[in-house]
Every structure is written in structure tokens, then in C-alpha cells.
Amino acid sequence: MLLAIDCGNTNTVFSIWNGEAFIGTWRTSTDWQRTADQYYVWLSTLIKFYQIEVDITDMIISSTVPRVVFNLRVLADRYFHTRPIVVGKPDCLLPVDVRVDTGTAVGPDRLVNTVAGHDMYGGDLIVVDFGTATTFDVVSSDGAYIGGVIAPGVNLSLEALHHAAAALPHVDIAKPQNVIGTNTVACMQSGVFWGYVGLVKEICARIKGERAREMKIISTGGLAPLFQQTEDLFDEFHDDLTMHGLTVIHRYNKENN
């Protein structure tokens, strides 16, 4: 079985893939100080609680937090006796090309989303990932990653408002009933929600114009379902897009190494 790990700036997701489906998926906060032993106790407790029969033989890691990778490597070696594939490292093969400026480091999560998007939907895609940052990844007709856009994440914008303006409270993101807010919380939620609707629309329209072709827009990430409630921003939504991409990259490396 494969243990796929997606480590983002805010949360880290562990999923167990049995070759046909994910049989367990759990999320924890990202903490570079968490040791391999702590990871194992946490993970094994959840596996036991859900009474899942597990025999992990392989691991693959995608991490936007480099300092976390060391302890995850130790986890793989000490408890599962395997050498993990780490997306973005020279020995990790990708089934798609990466066409960006020389010397540019592309985030592993963006590469994984590109692979997953192309595997599931073909080429000419815009993958919008609502994470700590809101990213737009552009996938060419042949599946290559050709660049994208990075904007502040939705929750990051709300936190910035709260911390920079003393009179503004901390609020949770939600779709407001009306655009015009009649209290401070409603005003903030409207500004962020409809502001991001406009941001997604405008950036995707400009990407399509620059590419001079129709492109399918795929959404993923924690807040993607919230924005599915509004106008037809996206053609498809896939909650496990990144995890699916990790299984595709793992299979590709097994077949080509």
C-alpha cells in the first residue's frame, strides 16, 4: 500500500492508497518540529481506531515546507522501511514537462495538481487551488506545466484585515446573503467572498485570452466548495486532486525506474 503525504503551509494530509481507492485520509496541522515518532503514534492510532488493515510498502511526499521533509523521511525509513519519493527532487520523475524560466523552482503541490489535472481531464486546464495561497496553474494541451498565478489565500486576507485594522474583528469566510453588508462582519465577508469571485473570474478570463483558446477550469482545496455555491466559476471540482496526482506520480516512477 502507498502512504501519500501532502504537506502544505497550514495542514498536512496523509492518505493510504490500496491501488484502487483511498481507504483512509487524515489531516493534521503542519509543524516542522513534529518528530517521526510523533507522526507514527498519531497515524497508527487513527488506523487502529478506524480498524483499517494496512501494510504500507511505499511513500510519496509533496511538501511546500522543506523543513518537514526530514522527519517524514525518517518516518518512512524507521517505521515502514522504505525510501520515499519526494516530488520536486531530481530523482522524482514527472509524467509531464515543466516549461518555466530557467532556474525557477515550481512548488511541488503545483506540479502534483498539474499531473492530476491532466490525468483526469486532459490538457488546456486552469487548476485553481484554494489553500494558504490561492494559486492558478496553467496546463497546456500536452499536459505540461507552463506557469500560473499566485494570489493571497482567502483566510490570509481575512487575517490581514483583522491584524492591520484594530477595529475589524476576526471573522470566518462565508457566502453573504447580500452584497451590501449592514454590519461589520457582513461587510468583511462580502468584500472577501465577492472579491475572490471577481479575482477568479478576471484571472481565468485573462489566462484564456492570453492562451487564445477555451480552457477547462478545475477547482480544489479547502475553500473550493464554498465558491462552488455561487456562479459557474468552475467546470469541475475535485477535493482529492492533489492526492490523486501523488498516486499518478508514484506509479510513473515505479514503472520508469
Side-chain angles (χ1 to χ4, degrees), residues 168-180:
L168 296 181
H170 171 80
V171 300
D172 293 324
I173 181 65
K175 181 183 177 181
Q177 293 184 343
N178 302 297
V179 176
I180 301 173

Side-chain angles (χ1 to χ4, degrees), residues 3-223:
L3 175 59
I5 303 174
D6 174 34
C7 177
N9 289 295
T10 304
N11 292 312
T12 300
V13 180
F14 288 69
S15 287
I16 299 174
W17 173 257
N18 68 3
E20 297 180 354
F22 289 110
I23 61 173
T25 296
W26 302 283
R27 186 181 302 264
T28 185
S29 59
T30 298
D31 179 1
W32 68 269
Q33 294 180 309
R34 186 172 286 127
T35 66
D37 302 324
Q38 289 173 314
Y39 278 122
Y40 182 73
V41 169
W42 170 79
L43 183 61
S44 60
T45 300
L46 286 168
I47 291 171
K48 183 177 180 180
F49 177 81
Y50 286 99
Q51 299 180 333
I52 300 173
E53 293 294 329
V54 172
D55 180 20
I56 294 171
T57 58
D58 296 85
M59 270 181 60
I60 184 167
I61 302 166
S62 168
S63 177
T64 58
V65 185
R67 288 193 292 181
V68 170
V69 174
F70 173 77
N71 283 321
L72 292 176
R73 284 186 181 275
V74 175
L75 172 70
D77 177 65
R78 180 177 299 167
Y79 291 103
F80 303 119
H81 312 295
T82 187
R83 184 173 183 270
I85 297 169
V86 181
V87 180
K89 297 299 182 182
D91 59 345
C92 177
L93 305 177
L94 296 176
V96 300
D97 196 12
V98 180
R99 300 180 193 138
V100 295
D101 295 342
T102 303
T104 299
V106 180
D109 55 329
R110 307 183 75 181
L111 298 175
V112 174
N113 283 347
T114 296
V115 170
H118 182 250
D119 182 70
M120 298 184 71
Y121 304 106
D124 287 327
L125 304 176
I126 304 170
V127 181
V128 185
D129 189 346
F130 291 91
T132 305
T134 301
T135 59
F136 299 74
D137 299 316
V138 184
V139 184
S140 71
S141 56
D142 64 352
Y145 175 84
I146 57 172
V149 176
I150 301 175
V154 178
N155 284 320
L156 195 62
S157 295
L158 281 170
E159 284 296 322
L161 275 175
H162 171 58
H163 288 297
L168 296 181
H170 171 80
V171 300
D172 293 324
I173 181 65
K175 181 183 177 181
Q177 293 184 343
N178 302 297
V179 176
I180 301 173
T182 55
N183 56 68
T184 302
V185 170
C187 289
M188 293 173 67
Q189 288 177 332
S190 182
V192 171
F193 182 85
W194 293 112
Y196 271 85
V197 169
L199 179 144
V200 170
K201 280 186 175 180
E202 183 67 15
I203 289 179
C204 288
R206 288 184 174 271
I207 289 173
K208 289 180 178 180
E210 205 166 280
R211 296 286 293 160
R213 66 187 68 190
E214 275 302 309
M215 304 183 75
K216 185 175 285 188
I217 304 173
I218 314 299
S219 71
T220 190
L223 289 176

